[in-house]
Amino acid sequence: MKYQFLAFILSLFTLTVFAQQQTPQQTQPADEVKNITNIWFVTPRTGSQHIDLSQDWQLGWRDSTTKQYSDIETVQDWVTVKNPASVPQQLFQAGKLPDPYKNLNIKQHKWAEQKVWFYKKEFTVKKPEKDSFIFLSFDGVDYWCRVYLNGKVLGRHEGMFGGPEFEIGSLLNYDKPNELLVTVSSANYGNPNYSSRTPGMFIKPWSTSGGSGVEPFFTFGMWRGVRLDITEKTHLERPFIRTETILPDRSEATLLFETEIISGNTSLQYNLHPWGNAQLSDFSSPNVSGNLSQVKTEIKVRFTHKEQVIEETFPVEIASGRTWIKHRFKIKNPAIWHINGLGEANLYKTEIELLLNGRTADKIVQNIGIRTIDWTESAGKRLHPRWGNWQCVVNGTPVFLKGVNWMPADTLLNLPREKFRWRLKLAKDAGIQIIRIWGPGHQESEDFYDFCDEFGIMVWQDFPVGNFDTPDWSQEVWEEQVMHTIYRLRNRASLAVWCGGNEFNPYSKGNTATIGVLERNIRLFDGSRKFLRTTPDEGCIHGYPDMCPTWYKKTFAAYPYVAETGIHSMASPYWLSEYINPEELKTAYKMWEKDFKETHPDVTLHFVEFAPFRVPRMLSRASHIIDLTAPSIEDLTLATQLGGVHLANNLSKNRHADDLPAHRFP
């Protein structure tokens, strides 16, 4: 398999840089089209209730956005794009531009950031037998978009991590072709000098917006799926199942089940923060709590694991509008979800059905794992007023965690399912038990979490706040992105930690509102997992001593958790020679020279966070293994990789010794 982004460095590291000033406020041009901000994630359905619209779109561009639908007639260079990805990847896959990851080719793609891109697709829908809602949901459009259906504008949207959603049942031509048109513009459209470390109003991580090590790479486009989900007028939404307890002898588990039932309306008609703090009514619709007792309403839940099938049906009373339902299940002799190395990662297929007068009106299918993850006080001294609990206890067993940090699998968001399987299978085989999705990265696609669930790898999920302050962020847009992420991921067995992001001050004036929105919603709409405002904080550390034994034996011993550490190393020379100018590779060992960046532009383009104070550390370790006078690229890469192996071995041994109380403070 070929890597789509050849990182010259394999280990993850970050440079702490706090924004000293904000760039001038950038704004999208004034527009009369309604801005759509909807926090209520529409749960994907399956079978006949679901239509996938993600593949086979037409893609073209023009210099400016549409003023009216007829502007589509001036769109240039239509091509067919098969799958969701960023525009640079889609142009490459369509044969319009060269591979953006090879050599300096990304520079040939830069013009596209200052164009407006048009996605067009036709589709057909059969008329439902029952009176139904049909939801059109976009799971990731980067960054601004405007949506048209059959020539009618539905609205515009900001943000790359979910939305917009529309109910389009009355707008469709049933059993005839419908045309869907989406215009997309980059976050730096009209502002090519955008700075990733001073993001202004844009809610993007710096790994996808020209940050350190990925300076020429700026993402934009429809990078996640588009779908239709069909429900009756009374339907389920956003079910949540979590493990409350498992008996010590594993003979029984108690699961808490929660869901919404919506009748007569859709989620899109509700706000999280009503005007005047109204809770049930603003007096314009006083009958929102009317009883629907004339309809026999039940919920049936079926749990299936191999030959074990557990099914329970229970009655519910609902009101017109929205009703929240809560129920507990007792599962005898549960198949436990274990983390990697401690047992099988057992998953239950869970089918949730809404029954109206005995008939299935709605159905949602998801996988869950029965497990408990707790965090208790670690051994050792407390050395700071903010000092959290860092001893991880999985299913009642304390665990010495082995983990890694995860940078995006593809900077330009070409993310087929097999890409995640290959990488996460490597992590599983290496004994990894927890992966931190690094804050300057992004929330991954469903495939990533599918394989973490399957392989028993826990996930520490950072949100995309990384090394900056956010005083200009729209908190409404941010809250939508937060809520979509919570609803999308909270049923995952693998999800263990929520964290605000990477190396920023959550207590600064510029960040308190942002973190307040995050913390409040995680508490309200999950409440079952460890939450951190940032990392490092509460006793965890980010440290890069590059194998200093004193650090690992003494200084690291003072901290209960190492969230980040590492050392530079280099990728396989086979991949280097395929993506980087071979002539530059012949003298790549001269990285210490002051003019190296100018004389080796191809090498440094593919080097994550190329910096003079980082390179000598890698070369110093390599010099213990080979003569660095004029090494071949094969010898140099092998030596840097061995340096990384030695570091990992040294770190693991010393951290494990630190975990034993007798060795913590020699």
Side-chain angles (χ1 to χ4, degrees):
M1 177 179 293
K2 294 185 178 180
Y3 292 94
Q4 295 303 311
F5 175 58
L6 181 61
F8 204 72
I9 306 305
L10 296 179
S11 58
L12 179 136
F13 50 89
T14 53
L15 172 63
T16 305
V17 177
F18 292 101
Q20 299 300 313
Q21 61 182 5
Q22 294 294 321
T23 54
Q25 178 82 3
Q26 303 96 8
T27 60
Q28 193 177 21
D31 198 325
E32 70 283 358
V33 176
K34 182 180 180 181
N35 192 60
I36 304 298
T37 305
N38 169 51
I39 65 172
W40 306 112
F41 174 75
V42 174
T43 309
R45 270 53 178 193
T46 55
S48 61
Q49 288 187 260
H50 181 82
I51 300 174
D52 186 4
L53 299 179
S54 302
Q55 280 73 44
D56 299 317
W57 289 73
Q58 296 297 303
L59 175 66
W61 63 272
R62 70 193 297 265
D63 288 323
S64 59
T65 192
T66 52
K67 297 299 182 182
Q68 56 271 333
Y69 184 76
S70 60
D71 288 342
I72 191 175
E73 297 173 3
T74 63
V75 172
Q76 303 182 49
D77 299 332
W78 289 104
V79 296
T80 299
V81 295
K82 292 294 184 182
N83 298 298
S86 66
V87 167
Q89 273 293 341
Q90 291 171 329
L91 291 177
F92 162 56
Q93 292 168 3
K96 298 295 290 186
L97 288 173
D99 186 342
Y101 286 133
K102 281 195 173 184
N103 305 120
L104 304 177
N105 289 345
I106 187 60
K107 295 183 178 181
Q108 298 183 47
H109 291 257
K110 296 298 288 181
W111 64 273
E113 296 170 14
Q114 302 306 315
K115 306 298 180 182
V116 177
W117 292 86
F118 291 71
Y119 290 84
K120 182 176 64 173
K121 181 182 179 67
E122 283 194 353
F123 64 96
T124 302
V125 179
K126 294 181 179 179
K127 187 172 181 60
E129 294 180 2
K130 298 285 184 179
D131 192 15
S132 299
F133 292 126
I134 299 182
F135 296 99
L136 169 64
S137 298
F138 294 83
D139 288 326
V141 184
D142 182 8
Y143 183 76
W144 277 305
C145 74
R146 188 180 312 200
V147 181
Y148 295 84
L149 177 63
N150 296 328
K152 175 181 174 59
V153 63
L154 302 182
R156 66 190 187 98
H157 183 264
E158 174 185 351
M160 68 178 289
F161 294 114
E165 292 93 0
F166 308 95
E167 199 288 305
I168 59 171
S170 63
L171 303 176
L172 289 168
N173 300 318
Y174 290 105
D175 302 310
K176 297 178 182 179
N178 294 270
E179 184 184 73
L180 189 57
L181 177 72
V182 185
T183 72
V184 180
S185 54
S186 173
N188 68 342
Y189 176 72
N191 180 36
N193 297 318
Y194 170 88
S195 170
S196 65
R197 295 297 184 94
T198 51
M201 66 181 290
F202 305 125
I203 300 171
K204 276 179 67 75
W206 57 256
S207 66
T208 60
S209 53
S212 299
V214 288
E215 286 86 352
F217 300 92
F218 202 106
T219 65
F220 54 100
M222 281 173 39
W223 70 287
R224 283 187 181 151
V226 185
R227 54 189 165 90
L228 298 180
D229 294 291
I230 304 167
T231 74
E232 293 189 21
K233 293 299 178 74
T234 299
H235 58 279
L236 299 164
E237 269 303 353
R238 296 171 285 276
F240 183 25
I241 303 176
R242 60 185 185 271
T243 307
E244 285 194 320
T245 60
I246 302 174
L247 293 182
D249 64 0
R250 309 283 175 90
S251 63
E252 183 179 272
T254 301
L255 307 185
L256 177 62
F257 167 79
E258 298 176 273
T259 192
E260 297 171 52
I261 299 179
I262 303 177
S263 184
N265 294 328
T266 76
S267 300
L268 311 184
Q269 296 172 266
Y270 294 96
N271 296 319
L272 180 60
H273 312 292
W275 174 85
N277 291 321
Q279 292 297 302
L280 294 179
S281 172
D282 62 3
F283 304 104
S284 63
S285 54
N287 295 318
V288 292
S289 59
N291 199 306
L292 296 184
S293 58
Q294 69 274 19
V295 178
K296 181 183 177 183
T297 307
E298 300 169 293
I299 292 178
K300 180 168 70 174
V301 181
R302 181 186 298 110
F303 302 94
T304 304
H305 172 72
K306 297 181 179 178
E307 302 304 317
Q308 184 185 30
V309 179
I310 302 160
E311 183 176 293
E312 183 175 338
T313 301
F314 58 94
V316 294
E317 292 186 2
I318 66 172
S320 59
R322 306 169 85 182
T323 309
W324 272 260
I325 304 298
K326 182 181 291 187
H327 186 78
R328 284 178 172 81
F329 296 98
K330 300 290 185 180
I331 307 296
K332 299 293 185 182
N333 302 313
I336 304 298
W337 185 87
H338 295 282
I339 65 171
N340 188 24
L342 297 183
E344 294 296 318
N346 297 300
L347 294 170
Y348 282 84
K349 178 183 178 181
T350 307
E351 299 165 273
I352 304 159
E353 295 183 55
L354 176 65
L355 306 180
L356 301 180
N357 290 331
R359 176 184 58 82
T360 299
D362 195 10
K363 183 176 180 179
I364 293 174
V365 180
Q366 58 194 28
N367 289 330
I368 67 153
I370 298 177
R371 92 296 185 268
T372 59
I373 300 173
D374 300 301
W375 300 82
T376 61
E377 188 173 351
S378 303
K381 298 177 181 178
R382 174 173 173 158
L383 304 175
H384 195 276
R386 295 195 303 272
W387 201 258
N389 294 331
W390 289 101
Q391 174 61 67
C392 187
V393 181
V394 182
N395 299 319
T397 301
V399 181
F400 178 82
L401 289 177
K402 298 177 284 293
V404 293
N405 282 263
W406 176 276
M407 298 178 76
D410 191 306
T411 298
L412 290 178
L413 307 177
N414 182 33
L415 301 169
R417 185 172 176 83
E418 58 269 18
K419 184 172 291 188
F420 290 110
R421 174 178 282 280
W422 186 79
R423 285 161 172 75
L424 290 167
K425 184 61 164 57
L426 288 179
K428 179 182 185 295
D429 292 345
I432 297 304
Q433 296 167 316
I434 188 167
I435 288 178
R436 173 185 166 226
I437 299 184
W438 174 64
H442 54 77
Q443 296 93 324
E444 290 289 357
S445 298
E446 297 302 321
D447 296 325
F448 174 91
Y449 305 99
D450 283 348
F451 290 122
C452 286
D453 286 348
E454 178 183 337
F455 295 152
I457 300 173
M458 295 189 295
V459 176
W460 166 325
Q461 179 67 64
D462 278 10
F463 281 80
V465 187
N467 307 76
F468 49 61
D469 270 18
T470 61
D472 300 319
W473 277 14
S474 163
Q475 295 305 317
E476 288 75 20
V477 173
W478 167 241
E479 186 162 49
E480 179 195 43
Q481 306 295 279
V482 165
M483 292 288 282
H484 276 67
T485 300
I486 293 172
Y487 282 128
R488 187 170 68 93
L489 301 182
R490 65 180 182 172
N491 282 293
R492 293 289 183 176
S494 54
L495 182 62
V497 178
W498 293 113
C499 180
N502 182 76
E503 296 179 1
F504 68 95
N505 180 6
Y507 312 101
S508 70
K509 184 177 180 181
N511 284 331
T512 50
T514 296
I515 299 305
V517 167
L518 176 62
E519 186 168 9
R520 179 184 68 242
N521 286 310
I522 286 176
R523 175 174 55 82
L524 287 174
F525 299 104
D526 182 348
S528 65
R529 293 175 171 90
K530 184 179 182 69
F531 171 75
L532 298 166
R533 295 174 180 86
T534 188
T535 180
D537 197 11
E538 298 189 9
C540 69
I541 187 176
H542 293 193
Y544 295 91
D546 293 340
M547 296 190 63
C548 170
T550 300
W551 186 285
Y552 287 113
K553 284 186 175 294
K554 296 187 182 296
T555 310
F556 265 31
Y559 294 89
Y561 198 91
V562 181
E564 234 186 75
T565 191
I567 191 171
H568 279 89
S569 61
M570 295 167 58
S572 161
Y574 173 82
W575 298 113
L576 294 175
S577 60
E578 180 164 336
Y579 282 84
I580 298 175
N581 183 347
E583 290 302 310
E584 289 190 23
L585 289 177
K586 290 179 181 178
T587 54
Y589 63 89
K590 296 183 178 182
M591 293 178 197
W592 60 80
E593 294 184 346
K594 292 183 178 180
D595 62 349
F596 184 83
K597 202 164 187 175
E598 288 71 37
T599 58
H600 294 73
D602 205 346
V603 171
T604 53
L605 176 72
H606 292 85
F607 197 116
V608 175
E609 288 195 319
F610 181 84
F613 72 93
R614 294 186 183 275
V615 169
R617 300 175 180 180
M618 178 183 73
L619 297 180
S620 174
R621 294 306 306 167
S623 71
H624 295 195
I625 300 167
I626 62 169
D627 181 354
L628 283 183
T629 303
S632 67
I633 191 64
E634 290 79 10
D635 287 346
L636 183 61
T637 55
L638 177 60
T640 62
Q641 289 172 6
L642 288 174
V645 170
H646 292 165
L647 175 138
N649 184 58
N650 199 18
L651 170 62
S652 180
K653 286 182 176 179
N654 283 286
R655 283 298 295 171
H656 201 279
D658 291 343
D659 196 51
L660 305 175
H663 296 277
R664 287 193 62 81
F665 289 95

